[in-house]
Structure formats: C-alpha cells, structure tokens
C-alpha cells in the first residue's frame, strides 16, 4: 500500500512538452467512459479531494484485510491512476514501464532493436521490409519471413506490438528470432545483436512530379524533425524542386518546439505560429512566433487527414491562417490540448494535459469530449457503422462563404478568409479516399501472401521474379518486375487454391487495376525496400494528385497575402469525384 501511494503522489517532471499524440495502442484498450471537464481547484474541491483520498486509503485497507484472493498491487495502482486520468480528458494517459520507455525512445528518434517493419497478417506477424544497414539486414531477414519465436517464446499468436516489445531491448544484447520462410520446410533461427535503429519523422522525400517535391512528415514530431526537414528540402532543391507538397497525413503529433520549428521553415520571421493557454507556466498566454531568418518561399500544399493530430494541426493551422499555402485532404483529428510528460517512480510515467493551444488567429481546434465515450472520440462511425471523417460543423471556404450553423466561432484570417474553431482543421480543398471494401481488404492480404511465394521463386512460370537481396541503392524502373497478364493469371490460380481467401475471378477482374497496384507495391517493397513500395502507392493516390494540381492556386494565395490583395480564385471544383486512395486497410506497420 505504501508503494502505491508513493507512485500516485510523486511526480518528476521530464522536460518535454507534447503537442500531440493519439497513442492508439493505449486507446484500443480503453472502455467507453463518460468524460468531464477540469477547473481550477477551489477550497471545496480541495476538501473533497482530501475526503476522497481518505476513502481511497480505507478502500485499500479493506481490500488488503478482507479480499479472498491474491492482490496484484501494481495492476490495481495502474488502474487507479488511469481511471483518475480518464475523468480529465482523452489525452491524459498513464504509461506502464514498457510503454513509457517506448514513448521516450520515439521522442529520441531512435531505439535499440533489429530494424524490420512488421505487420500482423491472417496467421501471424510477418516481416514487411528490412531497413538498410541495420542488424536485420546484415543478418539476412527478408520480406515475407513469418516470426514464430522470439528468444524461445512462441510468437505465432502475438500481435505486432507484442513482437516489437520482445524484440527491442538493450543495445549490444543478442535476440534470437525464429522465422518460417516461403519454400523452406523447417524454421530458421537468426541470432541478431541489437543496435540503434533510426526512427525518423520523415519517411519519404522525392520528386513526385516535374519541379515538384514531396516530403512525407508522417513519423511524428521528434527531436530531429526540423533537421530532417531542412536536409530533405535541400536535397530536393538539388533535384530541381520549385514547389512542395508536405504530407502530414496520419501524423499523430509530438514535441511542441519541433512543430514551431517546422512552421518557421515556411513562415516569415516573427509570425505567430501558435499560442498556448493553461495553468502553471501558461497562466499568461504564451505566444510562439516563427524564428526562421530565411524561410522557404516556394509554393506549398499541406496534406492532412482525419488522423493528423495536434502538432501536425499546429503546422497546418499556421499555414492556413497566414495564407502561406493551401491545405488539402480531410478534416483533421481535432486535438488542441498540450501535454507535459511526467516521470513517476519505478520507471512508469504519464502525460498530463496542462494547456490548450490556439492557431495564429485564435482558433481552438479541440473537438468536444464532454459527452459520449472515449470510443466515440477516437473511432467515429456513421449510421451504417463505417468509419468516416468528422467535420467541425462548418464548411470549408471551398464549399461556401456562409456557415451552416452558428455553433462554432468564426475567425477572419489572412486575405480575408473565414475559418471556424473547434473540430480540427477543415481543409481548403477536400480530397477524400473512397471507402475500403471487404473485397479490397481480401485482395491486399492475398497480394501479400502471393508475393511472398513470388519473391521466393515458387510461382511456376515466374521464376525470374525471385528476389534474394534488396537493392537499396537504386530506384525501380517500369520494366522491373512488371505486373503482366501472366502474373495476374498466376495470382488467380493462387487464390483459387485457397478458398479461405474468399476472392473470385470476377472480383479480381472487376478491380484489376487495384490488384495490379497492390501486387506491384508488394514486389517492389520486397525488391527495393519499403520507401519505394510506398512511392508506388503514392503515384495513384488521389489526395496527393489533388495536392499537385492545386499548387498554382497555392502560389497565387501566398502572393495575394504578401501583396495585401483579395483572393480571386475559386476552389469550388474541390469536391469533384476522385479515384480511390489506395492505402493499407489494416493496422500500421511497426518498426522494431
């Protein structure tokens, strides 16, 4: 009991401020709980807190003296702390030791592991790709290897994050991984010495079209984010970049100072990036301004979606408020709360909301969480049960100049544009992915298993597609591993042999372009690495294509703001139908 109270009472501040983070691994375990709001403590509040503390002490003592079974004090204390935090807001979270360690590793932009991207498929966790110059690449792990044991423990039923926790560990220490490889009867043991594995914020940066650079800042905002962005832009300029698409889709947020530094790369010096209001150090609003002495002035489009949260919303909001560029995609998550990271005794910790942030012109983007459940907050469903984008209750400027309701406050920003507070960043131009179908989900799974055999040289008539080693040093050509009619027929034969795939020839024929794209993504990933595979998908991504198409309008907007002239272009075309956004329908790959 004494240890329990010590954990609950002693907080040691870690000097990191989080502007974001959805922490989906924790949220999946949440139950549906009603949420309340917090206010400054009054004398009555303090009396009530003391009374409840006494009740808690009595409850612990009663349990100790009378409970019929063994008491897991650690588990009970964790539940008590998290239960307390759940009453505050959705983003104040408790982290057991292993998860708190991972949080700090993520902030450091590296960790100690082996360097593979893994994903749970139908019958286990598989290697999706191997990172160049890591222990896994040197040991010889490959695309499609099924992880069946880690240090002698059966891993066949584990989820991806459980595999990751067991594979990561102390630098220089060995981990033994047993894999099943396509075409081999027996499993193979790999003894791999853990080492530092990079965990960059920027996962891809390349020329996506003539004179057009693309930077995927999707790995959160960590200590190295600004440096990574500067390096990526410098490299792209050498390749002839004169305009940029900055992809913040699925970026969960991260460190506040890095969000400010990223905005400083594009905004003129001394422009407000974000203001923060709260208790303790934020009793007086803190206003953070751009610090760049020579910001980039190239035309800019920022891509966001419903999983772009917090720090990524700070940057998208700053670009939008100042008219520095256009925001394209879906309405963002809507997280306007700032957390501090506190370390507790015994290597655990928590993130506690200490402030709210506001865009340069005063918008709060936080979605309401005072009613409903945590499940509703994190996973939004329409009436048919399908996940959908949550709109903030107001239109984007592309749809109408008049608000649909008066629930949210209106803010007039640069060039006279009007936006509304609450519910996330509404894009200037909407570009939505089509809803994933069950058949497409099955196609994705079948494409992975088929490519696993294809890359192992086991598909009759396609032995030339065998891949023994990843060619990290070059990009694929169209003539490398083409998805021909012969490969499509081989894929059909593969599916026919496995009725559990529940795919028919008719379904494949009706969506053959999607099938070809998924097969090419998998085989290019196996042959050239994950970055090249993602590039294949991006080339058919309607949100990215829309972003490229409106770069001239982004340039005109920025010029209008600089010149103090009103906006004259019309973006009503923004909602025209698009091709499907061909992306993973499953859990995110985990790097370990």
């Amino acid at each position: 009991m004494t240890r329990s109270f010590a954990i609950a009472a002693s907080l040691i501040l870690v000097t990191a401020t989080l502007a974001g983070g959805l922490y989906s691994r924790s949220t999946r375990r949440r139950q549906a709980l009603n949420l309340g709001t917090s206010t400054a403590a009054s004398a009555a509040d303090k009396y009530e807190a003391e009374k409840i503390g006494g009740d808690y002490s009595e409850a612990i003592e009663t349990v100790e003296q009378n409970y019929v079974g063994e008491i897991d004090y650690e588990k009970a204390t964790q539940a008590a702390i998290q239960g307390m935090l759940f009453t505050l807001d959705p983003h104040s979270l408790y982290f057991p030791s292993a998860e708190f360690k991972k949080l700090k590793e993520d902030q450091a932009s590296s960790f100690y592991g082996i360097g593979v991207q893994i994903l749970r498929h139908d019958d286990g966790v598989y290697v999706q790709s191997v990172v160049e110059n890591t222990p896994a690449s040197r040991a010889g792990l490959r695309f499609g290897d099924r992880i069946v044991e880690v240090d002698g423990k059966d891993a066949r039923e584990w989820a991806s994050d459980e595999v990751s926790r067991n594979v990561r560990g102390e630098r220089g220490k060995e981990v033994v991984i047993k894999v099943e490889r396509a075409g081999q009867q027996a499993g193979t043991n790999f003894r791999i010495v853990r080492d530092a594995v990079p965990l960059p914020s920027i996962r891809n940066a390349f020329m996506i079209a003539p004179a057009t650079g693309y930077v995927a800042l999707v790995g959160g905002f960590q200590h190295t984010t600004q440096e990574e962005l500067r390096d990526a832009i410098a490299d792209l300029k050498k390749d002839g970049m004169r305009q940029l698409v900055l992809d913040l889709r699925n970026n969960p947020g991260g460190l506040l100072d890095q969000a400010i530094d990223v905005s400083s790369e594009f905004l003129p010096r001394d422009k407000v990036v974000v203001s923060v209001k709260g208790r303790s150090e934020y009793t007086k609003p803190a206003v953070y301004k751009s610090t760049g002495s020579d910001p980039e002035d190239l035309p800019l489009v920022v891509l966001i979606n419903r999983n772009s949260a917090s720090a990524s919303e700070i940057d998208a909001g700053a670009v939008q408020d100042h008219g520095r560029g256009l925001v394209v995609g879906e309405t963002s998550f809507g997280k306007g709360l700032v957390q501090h990271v506190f370390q507790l005794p015994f290597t655990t910790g928590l993130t506690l909301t200490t402030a709210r942030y506001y865009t340069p012109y005063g918008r709060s983007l936080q979605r309401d969480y005072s009613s409903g459940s945590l499940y509703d907050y994190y996973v939004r469903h329409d009436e048919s049960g399908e996940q959908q984008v949550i709109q903030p209750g107001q239109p984007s400027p592309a749809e109408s100049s008049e608000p649909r309701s008066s629930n949210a406050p209106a803010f007039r920003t640069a060039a006279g544009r009007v936006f509304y507070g609450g519910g996330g960043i509404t894009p200037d131009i909407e570009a939505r992915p089509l809803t994933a179908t069950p058949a497409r989900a099955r196609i994705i799974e079948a494409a992975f298993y088929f490519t696993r055999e294809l890359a192992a040289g086991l598909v009759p008539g396609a032995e030339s597609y065998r891949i023994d080693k990843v060619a990290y040093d070059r990009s694929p050509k169209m003539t490398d591993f083409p998805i021909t009619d012969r490969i499509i027929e081989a894929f059909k034969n593969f599916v026919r042999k496995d009725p559990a795939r529940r795919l028919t020839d008719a379904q494949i024929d009706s969506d053959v372009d999607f099938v070809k794209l998924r097969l090419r993504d998998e085989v290019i990933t196996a042959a050239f690495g994950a970055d090249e595979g993602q590039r294949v998908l991006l080339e058919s991504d309607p949100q990215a294509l829309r972003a490229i198409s409106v770069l001239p309008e982004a340039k005109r907007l920025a010029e209008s703001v600089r010149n103090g002239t009103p906006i004259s272009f019309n973006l009503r075309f923004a909602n025209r139908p698009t091709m499907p956004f061909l992306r993973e329908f499953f859990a995110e790959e985990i790097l370990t």
Side-chain angles (χ1 to χ4, degrees):
M1 180 173 66
T2 302
R3 181 176 184 271
S4 299
F5 284 119
I7 294 175
S10 300
L11 302 181
I12 304 172
L13 178 62
V14 175
T15 58
T17 302
L18 297 178
L22 300 185
Y23 303 113
S24 60
R25 185 155 44 92
S26 298
T27 61
R28 286 198 296 269
R29 294 197 297 268
R30 293 191 177 107
Q31 297 178 351
L33 298 172
N34 289 331
L35 299 174
T37 56
S38 60
T39 58
S42 64
D45 293 332
K46 292 178 180 178
Y47 170 78
E48 189 64 23
E50 292 175 358
K51 177 176 178 294
I52 292 172
D55 290 342
Y56 179 73
S57 177
E58 289 294 328
I60 289 289
E61 188 172 341
T62 300
V63 170
E64 283 186 323
Q65 294 176 356
N66 298 282
Y67 183 63
V68 66
E70 293 292 326
I71 302 171
D72 186 334
Y73 286 103
E74 182 176 7
K75 185 176 181 180
T77 299
Q78 290 178 5
I81 296 173
Q82 187 60 82
M84 172 185 65
L85 296 175
F86 277 161
T87 67
L88 304 178
D89 64 79
H91 299 288
S92 293
L93 300 171
Y94 173 77
F95 290 83
S97 181
E99 293 193 13
F100 191 59
K101 179 182 178 182
K102 184 178 185 302
L103 173 65
K104 291 189 290 185
E105 288 175 346
D106 290 346
Q107 290 178 5
S109 303
S110 68
F111 61 90
Y112 300 135
I114 64 172
V116 291
Q117 289 182 331
I118 57 175
L119 183 65
R120 174 82 196 187
H121 287 277
D122 288 341
D123 62 345
V125 174
Y126 286 81
V127 174
Q128 290 292 124
S129 65
V130 182
V131 181
E132 185 179 10
N133 295 324
T134 60
S137 65
R138 292 189 289 270
L141 287 180
R142 298 181 187 173
F143 169 92
D145 283 344
R146 183 191 181 200
I147 299 175
V148 295
E149 288 183 9
V150 178
D151 282 336
K153 293 177 285 189
D154 190 342
R156 288 174 293 184
E157 300 299 323
W158 288 359
S160 296
D161 59 352
E162 191 169 3
V163 172
S164 178
R165 286 196 303 271
N166 282 272
V167 170
R168 293 188 185 190
E170 189 176 342
R171 187 175 196 173
K173 295 292 185 179
E174 184 181 77
V175 60
V176 180
I177 298 176
K178 185 177 182 179
V179 304
E180 291 179 350
R181 181 165 289 175
Q184 296 183 4
Q185 295 296 321
T188 303
N189 284 317
F190 289 85
R191 295 183 176 275
I192 307 174
V193 178
R194 298 180 180 98
D195 202 349
V197 176
L199 191 65
S201 297
I202 293 176
R203 304 293 168 83
N204 263 312
F206 51 81
M207 298 297 289
I208 194 173
T212 305
Y214 167 84
V215 173
L217 203 170
V218 298
F221 287 75
Q222 316 303 348
H223 289 298
T224 62
T225 300
Q226 183 191 33
E227 181 182 352
E228 292 176 40
L229 179 61
R230 283 181 175 175
D231 290 344
I233 291 176
D235 289 342
L236 290 173
K237 282 184 172 180
K238 294 176 183 176
D239 294 333
M241 179 182 70
R242 295 194 298 275
Q243 52 190 13
L244 174 65
V245 174
L246 180 64
D247 193 346
L248 297 179
R249 291 175 298 178
N250 299 312
N251 187 314
L255 300 176
L256 176 61
D257 62 342
Q258 287 295 307
I260 296 165
D261 289 343
V262 167
S263 288
S264 297
E265 292 297 308
F266 302 105
L267 296 178
R269 189 177 181 86
D270 289 332
K271 289 288 187 180
V272 174
V273 174
V274 64
S275 60
V276 181
K277 304 175 186 178
R279 298 178 64 182
S280 63
E281 74 267 39
Y282 295 122
T283 50
K284 293 183 178 180
V287 178
Y288 296 95
K289 297 183 178 182
S290 55
T291 59
S293 58
D294 186 23
E296 302 291 343
D297 61 358
L298 39 72
L300 175 68
V301 169
V302 176
L303 273 171
I304 61 172
N305 67 3
R306 63 187 180 190
N307 292 322
S308 301
S310 208
S312 54
E313 292 175 293
I314 286 176
D315 285 343
V319 167
Q320 191 176 64
D321 274 18
H322 289 300
R324 173 60 185 82
L326 290 174
V327 177
V328 174
E330 304 167 283
T331 298
S332 61
F333 185 85
K335 180 183 180 298
L337 304 179
V338 180
Q339 282 75 47
H340 261 66
V341 180
F342 293 86
Q343 183 172 314
L344 307 179
F346 312 108
T347 70
T348 62
L350 58 82
T351 57
L352 185 68
T353 298
T354 57
R356 293 175 179 265
Y357 75 75
Y358 299 82
T359 68
Y361 280 77
R363 288 186 285 165
S364 171
L365 305 179
Q366 178 61 45
R367 283 192 291 116
D368 178 51
Y369 54 83
S370 61
S371 61
S373 70
L374 286 169
Y375 179 82
D376 292 331
Y377 181 78
Y378 280 97
V379 182
R380 291 88 74 200
H381 292 264
D382 62 14
E383 294 180 355
S384 67
E386 296 291 340
Q387 291 186 3
Q388 67 170 9
V389 180
I390 288 293
Q391 302 292 344
Q394 310 294 342
S396 71
E399 295 173 323
S400 170
S401 60
E402 297 295 329
R404 291 173 182 161
S405 70
S406 57
N407 295 332
F411 296 85
R412 187 171 296 278
T413 66
R417 301 194 306 165
V418 176
F419 295 96
Y420 298 85
I425 296 288
T426 304
D428 298 294
I429 301 172
E430 287 191 355
R432 298 187 182 186
L434 295 185
T435 302
T437 66
R440 285 189 168 183
R442 294 194 292 272
I443 287 170
I444 291 174
E445 278 290 88
F448 168 77
Y449 285 103
F450 172 76
T451 305
R452 182 173 182 254
E453 294 198 0
L454 184 69
L458 302 177
V459 176
E463 290 80 3
S464 63
Y465 284 68
R466 179 182 175 92
I467 299 165
D468 294 316
K469 187 178 180 181
V470 179
Y472 295 108
D473 56 344
R474 71 181 186 89
S475 297
K477 301 175 182 178
M478 292 302 296
T479 53
D480 290 326
F481 306 105
I483 306 304
T484 62
D485 290 343
R486 180 165 55 89
I487 296 298
I488 293 296
E489 188 58 35
F491 177 68
K492 289 181 179 178
N493 290 333
F494 173 82
V495 171
R496 291 184 195 120
K497 294 176 183 177
D498 188 358
R501 297 282 166 218
R502 294 181 294 126
L503 279 174
T504 65
D505 285 6
Q507 287 174 318
I508 293 172
D509 289 338
S510 65
D511 211 358
V512 69
D513 288 339
F514 183 85
V515 173
K516 288 180 177 179
L517 185 72
R518 293 306 311 190
L519 289 173
R520 179 139 180 94
D521 165 47
E522 299 287 3
V523 73
I524 293 301
T525 297
F528 299 95
D531 290 350
E532 294 299 333
Q534 287 299 312
R535 186 168 180 170
V536 168
L537 292 182
L538 194 71
E539 290 169 353
S540 296
D541 179 344
Q543 292 177 316
L545 296 176
R546 180 64 57 81
I548 295 169
S549 72
V550 300
L551 277 162
E553 282 75 16
K555 180 179 179 181
R556 292 177 59 197
L557 171 62
E559 290 174 346
S560 295
V561 172
R562 282 196 295 267
N563 298 332
T565 56
I567 303 170
S568 60
F569 57 82
N570 190 334
L571 298 177
R572 285 181 296 175
F573 68 88
N575 292 312
R576 64 174 182 253
T578 66
M579 293 175 59
F581 175 25
L582 305 176
R583 47 182 295 217
E584 298 289 352
F585 302 156
F586 298 100
E588 180 184 1
E589 293 177 19
I590 293 178
L591 181 62
T592 192

